[in-house]
Amino acid sequence: MEMKLAMEKFEKIIEEKRMVDTAITSLHWDLETQAPKKGMELLSGVVGYLSSKSYELATGTALIEAVDTLNDCKNDLEPVRVKMLEEVEREIDKIKKIPAVEYSRYNELTARAQSIWAEAREKSDFKIFEEALREIVEFQRKFVGYRGWEGHPYNTLLDDYEPGMTVEKLDEFFGYLRGELVPFLKRIATEGRELRGDFLERSYPVTEQRELSRELAEYIGFDFDRGIISESAHPFTLNYDRNDVRLTTRYEERCFSSSVFGTIHEGGHGLYEQGIGEEIASTVLGTGTSMGIHESQSRFYENMLGRSKSFWKPLYEGVKSRFDALKDVELDEFYRGINKSEASLIRVEADELTYSLHIMVRYEIEKMLIEGSIEVEDLPRIWNDKMEEYLGIRPETDGEGVLQDVHWSCGLFGYFPSYALGNAYAAQIYNTMVKEIDIEKSLEERNLSVIKEWLGENIHRWGKGKKPAEIIEDISGEELSARYFIEYLKEKYSRIYL
Amino acid sequence: MEMKLAMEKFEKIIEEKRMVDTAITSLHWDLETQAPKKGMELLSGVVGYLSSKSYELATGTALIEAVDTLNDCKNDLEPVRVKMLEEVEREIDKIKKIPAVEYSRYNELTARAQSIWAEAREKSDFKIFEEALREIVEFQRKFVGYRGWEGHPYNTLLDDYEPGMTVEKLDEFFGYLRGELVPFLKRIATEGRELRGDFLERSYPVTEQRELSRELAEYIGFDFDRGIISESAHPFTLNYDRNDVRLTTRYEERCFSSSVFGTIHEGGHGLYEQGIGEEIASTVLGTGTSMGIHESQSRFYENMLGRSKSFWKPLYEGVKSRFDALKDVELDEFYRGINKSEASLIRVEADELTYSLHIMVRYEIEKMLIEGSIEVEDLPRIWNDKMEEYLGIRPETDGEGVLQDVHWSCGLFGYFPSYALGNAYAAQIYNTMVKEIDIEKSLEERNLSVIKEWLGENIHRWGKGKKPAEIIEDISGEELSARYFIEYLKEKYSRIYL
């Protein structure tokens, strides 16, 4: 009887929190995609206000008492409810040790900081952003202190985005990547053939790009009854629930790849969220299980499918007829062109081969920032040094260096490694899927639904009902390993370049 | 001391309510402009949840006690605070006498009723909507009973949208309009010349229309640092505060007027909200003072300026060069075309001359419905009879008659008269302004800022700090009168048609 009451209370509060959090998501969406410059202050204030309401609900005695009661009778609960309970506990633990006032100030700060960052990036001046970033980093350090940590303070933040991930594992992971990739890159650079890339910078009218983006999203299976595509400076995906999933992309007349692969990438995220099982859709389990698994889905679609020859084979003639820029470009040249590898400064424009090194730079910087061994004012220099060390090129401005990513302005620390983990998950997933499905044949026959269904069955529908480690082990029978990703890259790029 | 405490409490709750209401506004914006079909359920749920929070804040004992305390020491308060207090009381009084259960049942009903109305309109069958409308009217009658009324029960509803407006004044207003307009319309129809309107339905590429809309909004003075334009099925303006004002318009390839005049109209609303005085911007006084004054601003820009020859004189060659559709159309033909008048069935498509008669039909029906002298089931017949009497045409279906407007399904009774009052206010404002500013010359010299400034000084900046009657009397030295509007129409349309 007491359990039933506690469960009712639990569900009522969680539902109320879902309402508040959805309003916050909606305001974030607005702030990122359309709010006028001077309107951001009010909306950021509302985000701050609602965040404090959400915080109150999550840390109020009502919820904590209900959770305690339910914890005492876990054995009598259905397994799915136990998972919900654990997820809620995880979320409560994240914030309950943080004083309410600080939490709300932090939320207001990050809501404001995004436009400060945007201005700094536009003017390519780190000084404009420095103070806000310093405050954010200080909050992050303090929060880790309140929350406690094991092994390394950065582990606490890693765990928020990739449950179970640690500095120890990541150091090994990136060490392996670096050991394999840096020499391979050098070999490509010295021995590799010249590839055409000229056509990618020709003129592609934005109106046509916009139509193509929509078509591609639909082609891979994105459901426009349950989602939209919009535009923003930095593409992202936001999910309200499985019935409302929002992607953004950006259109640049002289950058074909930006909108096309941006859309396929975000589309991969979108398919994950639209594929969440209906039975858990409106519960706390009803979203992607980790950022790394999320990124595996976007990378799988963007790179493993979207940058394969089989993907474009049935589509290329149609695309070619729409853009004058492609009229002298054969499919094979197109395929090699969209896979052209080159050390470059901007992460979101980096190719598949060099991408993980961009992440390594960010991982190492974040780790040091959080442990306090470097300070915010030194970031431009440290950034540039690391770029030179790993990629052999040095940014000349803050805009093409330390200011390029929005993440830190949103308070996302511990998030970047997911991008590299995503590549590794994706390759390991591909390695299993290809044993069951002839992926290339499916692509050539425009049968993308068989791929979406496989991912839906093995990954999407579970939401947070399985942890990332469970997902990858259930699929591949082993732990996450960087091996498949390295093999995939070497095989693909040897074919293209050597 | 007690007063200071009460004032702090008052301001804290009002600020909290402003945060919640802004979130609601933001969700409405999203629902109307972009939310995917299947995502609407969740977002509507969030609106419902937040609305109940807003209601709780407005009717909670904390606020009511603070208001009572402040009322006892009104003499010690600054005048602007007295006005804020009165505004809050007005809002509380609207709902506090209505039993909470009935209020919530009524809100559920109107939430449901909109889709019932939409279905009825689609099928053009009033019977589908009849029962829901009957319930809404019954609630409205009961609510007026709870709230009390003076002179006529409909006065209570009128006062919600146009403070101080009464049936007595409106009867006289519409009586005068009818007496002047109906014979004038007949004269135009029989003696007036034929005008070209063919070119308005030619092809106008949407991309070009979109650019033109933005340019026109900027041209009349809309500040895009503090606002945006988006798209929706029915154009509207939504204000968060003076720094975030959002307009929508709609683009139809074969309807040039729809986007152009839609944008100028909503732009007029937008200038009002952007022009609110900074010192009252974030208080309850920081928005337009009444629906009628609001509509006077949109009509002033749309019709008095936007449909004048002087407005287009400096712009027309540029516009003509952008649209093939206009290449054989001279400025004078263009001017007459955009002012073509014709009795028609649909209010939102009606021209300036016939528009007020559409409103008169709705006013008379609402008045009788609320006083109980007619019943809902008789509406289709009464509607059609009145259309025939005033406009000389009779709808053949419910869809082009009584079902055309969404308002009643939302419970908006007492709102329609604002549309006609707006026209009259606008003409009376013009009549004063033209004594101080050479309006035609300013338009011809592209000097629209002088007009915006005059309106800003005399109307916009005051927000709710002046009641509508104060506004119009301070400007023109007299009460609102339909005379100026009639004079304006007769003069303009005689020149065009006779």
Side-chain angles (χ1 to χ4, degrees), chain B residues 196-206 208-209 251-260 316 320 322-330 333-334:
Chain B
R196 265 188 84 172
D198 60 316
F199 60 87
L200 292 167
E201 287 161 22
R202 290 176 182 169
S203 163
Y204 297 83
V206 165
E208 281 290 330
Q209 282 194 51
Y251 305 100
E252 287 172 41
E253 197 189 328
R254 300 205 162 262
C255 188
F256 179 73
S257 301
S258 176
S259 72
V260 165
Y316 189 65
K320 194 171 162 175
R322 289 162 75 162
F323 296 103
D324 285 348
L326 294 173
K327 70 173 177 237
D328 65 341
V329 183
E330 293 309 309
E333 287 173 305
F334 178 79

Side-chain angles (χ1 to χ4, degrees), chain A residues 78-121:
Chain A
E78 297 161 65
V80 67
R81 286 188 190 264
V82 173
K83 284 185 173 157
M84 289 176 197
L85 189 64
E86 285 167 357
E87 185 55 34
V88 169
E89 276 193 283
R90 238 180 90 80
E91 291 301 312
I92 294 178
D93 281 343
K94 264 194 218 173
I95 47 176
K96 76 173 179 195
K97 290 177 187 159
I98 299 169
V101 185
E102 287 186 35
Y103 189 71
S104 135
R105 271 183 44 220
Y106 169 74
N107 281 309
E108 273 173 51
L109 171 64
T110 50
R112 251 191 315 118
Q114 286 166 60
S115 55
I116 301 175
W117 162 79
E119 194 199 333
R121 186 170 92 145

Side-chain angles (χ1 to χ4, degrees), chain A residues 16 18-20 22-23 26-27 29-30 34-39 42-43 45-46 49-50 53 57 223-228 230 240-241 243-244 246, chain B residues 16 18-20 22-23 26-27 29-30 34-39 42-43 45-46 49-50 53 57 223-228 230 240-241 243-244 246:
Chain A
E16 204 168 337
R18 188 167 81 102
M19 294 291 111
V20 176
T22 303
S26 173
L27 289 160
W29 171 259
D30 192 274
Q34 59 177 343
K37 205 169 78 184
K38 293 186 180 163
L42 173 62
L43 292 183
V46 179
Y49 169 78
L50 291 175
K53 291 290 142 190
L57 288 166
D223 177 359
F224 279 96
D225 276 350
R226 300 190 288 129
I228 60 174
S230 189
Y240 296 52
D241 68 0
N243 288 322
D244 194 347
R246 301 183 178 204
Chain B
E16 203 168 337
R18 188 168 80 103
M19 294 290 113
V20 175
T22 303
S26 174
L27 289 159
W29 171 259
D30 192 274
Q34 59 177 342
K37 207 170 75 183
K38 292 187 181 163
L42 173 62
L43 294 182
V46 179
Y49 169 78
L50 292 174
K53 292 288 143 191
L57 288 165
D223 177 358
F224 279 96
D225 275 350
R226 300 192 285 129
I228 61 174
S230 189
Y240 296 53
D241 68 0
N243 288 322
D244 194 346
R246 303 183 177 203

Side-chain angles (χ1 to χ4, degrees), chain A residues 152-272:
Chain A
H152 190 285
Y154 189 56
N155 285 348
T156 298
L157 300 176
L158 282 175
D159 192 77
D160 287 345
Y161 304 102
E162 201 61 23
M165 192 47 61
T166 63
V167 161
E168 201 185 345
K169 288 184 198 170
L170 275 183
D171 282 346
E172 193 195 321
F173 178 84
F174 281 115
Y176 179 64
L177 278 188
R178 187 174 46 207
E180 296 283 334
L181 279 187
V182 174
F184 184 68
L185 267 174
K186 284 203 181 118
R187 199 178 147 212
I188 294 283
T190 52
E191 299 170 30
R193 74 186 79 165
E194 262 319 302
L195 301 184
R196 268 190 82 172
D198 59 314
F199 60 87
L200 291 167
E201 286 161 21
R202 290 176 180 169
S203 163
Y204 296 83
V206 166
T207 317
E208 281 290 329
Q209 283 194 52
R210 197 175 278 121
E211 276 172 29
L212 179 62
S213 272
R214 201 186 150 92
E215 286 167 25
L216 284 170
E218 225 155 12
Y219 183 70
I220 64 170
F222 188 74
D223 177 359
F224 279 96
D225 276 350
R226 300 190 288 129
I228 60 174
I229 296 191
S230 189
E231 289 171 51
S232 65
H234 187 291
F236 65 93
T237 299
L238 209 60
N239 59 301
Y240 296 52
D241 68 0
R242 76 190 293 278
N243 288 322
D244 194 347
V245 180
R246 301 183 178 204
L247 323 178
T248 70
T249 190
R250 59 174 168 186
Y251 305 99
E252 288 172 41
E253 196 189 327
R254 298 205 165 260
C255 187
F256 179 73
S257 302
S258 177
S259 72
V260 164
F261 294 105
T263 300
I264 301 177
H265 178 99
E266 301 306 329
H269 285 302
L271 293 181
Y272 190 0

Side-chain angles (χ1 to χ4, degrees), chain B residues 304-349:
Chain B
M304 304 203 157
L305 304 185
R307 292 187 204 266
S308 74
K309 191 146 64 177
S310 303
F311 182 88
W312 290 101
K313 220 172 194 173
L315 302 177
Y316 189 65
E317 280 310 307
V319 173
K320 194 171 162 175
S321 70
R322 289 162 75 162
F323 296 103
D324 285 348
L326 294 173
K327 70 173 177 237
D328 65 341
V329 183
E330 293 309 309
L331 172 60
D332 207 61
E333 287 173 305
F334 178 79
Y335 163 65
R336 286 166 195 263
I338 59 175
N339 284 293
K340 206 167 145 61
S341 173
E342 207 160 29
S344 64
L345 296 170
I346 306 296
R347 175 183 62 84
V348 294
E349 289 161 14

Side-chain angles (χ1 to χ4, degrees), chain B residues 106 110 129 133-134 136-138 140 144 147 154 156-161 362 365-367 369-370 376 379 407-417:
Chain B
Y106 169 74
T110 50
F129 183 45
L133 183 56
R134 188 183 350 262
I136 291 172
V137 169
E138 272 161 23
Q140 291 283 348
V144 168
R147 296 172 62 187
Y154 188 59
T156 298
L157 301 177
L158 282 175
D159 193 77
D160 288 343
Y161 305 101
R362 288 153 179 78
I365 287 176
E366 288 191 355
K367 192 177 65 171
L369 268 180
I370 298 300
V376 167
L379 286 188
H407 302 60
W408 292 342
S409 75
C410 313
L412 294 172
F413 283 82
Y415 186 109
F416 277 121

